[in-house]
């Protein structure tokens, strides 16, 4: 009887160890998939921002970028994704810090009130957060453009710069690009929420924890993630941090 009990216990222990090992493997695979997803999001956002800025006559004015406290890019947003569940837009935010632009923090965007601002085809959305209060909104669980912060369509081109009324009055300047056409649009009603499953997977921190710090910790970044910050830095140097 004692031998049978020992065999039974050994079988249970082996089964438990097998289940634990499988669970650990699944968790590791899930983590690796999220980190890979995060790197892909960073690369997509960097590609969109670079493409927009490649045509100075139709791009975001450099002096506006020099004053921005944070920049968000949501690539290839589909209008239907906004209207169905409000969770369709995925993007990244980089904040200007005392040591340079931060590595990307991950967010989702949606909102049922979005109308013709976003077309039926894939649309890229760019947001400039022009003051600390606007950046502070990103640290909330839910942040609605137009309700929690004033938003306006931003100017484009070489001559529409930092002295415009848009900069003086709006906390957030918004842009969209669809089928090659880039323009400032008012995205009032868009709701932004942190995508903390990615933030936790990459940094082991929430969006709030990442954005509240005023310094860039390069050691936190996973491979491929600095792509977005590096791209932003090419067009928006850190010289305006103290302005």
């Amino acid at each position: 009887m004692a031998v049978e009990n020992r065999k039974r216990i050994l079988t249970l222990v082996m089964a438990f160890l097998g289940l634990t090992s499988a669970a650990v493997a699944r968790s590791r695979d899930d983590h690796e998939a999220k980190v890979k997803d995060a790197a892909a999001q960073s690369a997509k956002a960097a590609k969109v921002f670079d493409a927009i800025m490649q045509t100075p006559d139709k791009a975001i004015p450099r002096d506006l970028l020099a004053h921005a406290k944070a920049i968000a890019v949501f690539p290839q947003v589909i209008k239907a994704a906004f209207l169905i569940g409000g969770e369709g837009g995925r993007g990244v935010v980089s904040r200007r810090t005392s040591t340079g632009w931060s590595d990307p923090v991950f967010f989702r965007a949606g909102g049922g009130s979005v109308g013709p601002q976003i077309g039926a085809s894939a649309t890229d959305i760019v947001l400039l957060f022009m003051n600390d209060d606007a950046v502070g909104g990103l640290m909330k669980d839910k942040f609605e453009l137009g309700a929690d912060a004033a938003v306006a369509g931003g100017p484009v081109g070489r001559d529409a710069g930092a002295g415009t009324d848009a900069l003086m009055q709006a906390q957030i300047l918004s842009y969209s690009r669809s089928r090659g056409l880039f323009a400032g649009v008012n995205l009032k009603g868009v709701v932004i929420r942190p995508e903390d499953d990615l933030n936790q997977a990459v940094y082991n921190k929430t969006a709030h924890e990442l954005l509240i710090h005023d310094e860039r910790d390069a050691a936190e970044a996973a491979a491929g993630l600095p792509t977005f910050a590096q791209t932003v830095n090419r067009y928006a140097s850190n010289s305006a941090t103290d302005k």
Side-chain angles (χ1 to χ4, degrees), residues 107-167:
F107 285 84
R108 288 185 177 271
S113 63
V114 174
Q117 305 99 313
I118 298 178
S121 60
T123 300
D124 303 317
I125 294 175
V126 179
L127 303 172
L128 304 188
F129 296 80
M130 303 308 297
N131 57 37
D132 291 332
D133 287 342
V135 176
L138 292 170
M139 301 183 199
K140 302 177 181 178
D141 292 335
K142 175 183 175 183
F143 180 52
E144 182 176 342
L145 305 188
D148 296 319
V151 60
V156 298
R158 297 179 186 272
D159 299 327
T164 64
D165 289 341
L167 175 61

Side-chain angles (χ1 to χ4, degrees), residues 37 41-42 44-45 72-93 105-112 114 118-119 121-127 138 141 143 145 187 189-199:
D37 184 19
Q41 288 294 324
S42 176
K44 286 179 185 177
V73 177
F74 293 85
Q76 298 178 331
V77 175
I78 305 296
K79 182 175 181 179
F82 268 78
L83 301 178
I84 301 173
E87 292 291 341
R90 303 178 70 205
V92 303
V93 172
V105 184
F106 299 93
F107 285 84
R108 288 185 177 271
V114 174
I118 298 178
S121 60
T123 300
D124 303 317
I125 294 175
V126 179
L127 303 172
L138 292 170
D141 292 335
F143 180 52
L145 305 188
L187 293 176
V190 170
V191 175
I192 300 175
R193 294 182 176 87
E195 191 171 4
D196 276 337
D197 57 337
L198 285 191
N199 293 319

Side-chain angles (χ1 to χ4, degrees), residues 163-204:
T164 64
D165 289 341
L167 175 61
M168 300 301 293
Q169 298 177 10
Q171 294 174 285
I172 299 172
L173 300 178
S174 53
Y175 299 85
S176 73
R177 185 182 71 153
S178 182
R179 296 180 179 177
L181 178 62
F182 181 69
V185 294
N186 190 331
L187 293 176
K188 181 178 180 181
V190 170
V191 175
I192 300 175
R193 294 182 176 87
E195 191 171 4
D196 276 337
D197 57 337
L198 285 191
N199 293 319
Q200 290 281 8
V202 174
Y203 306 107
N204 198 30

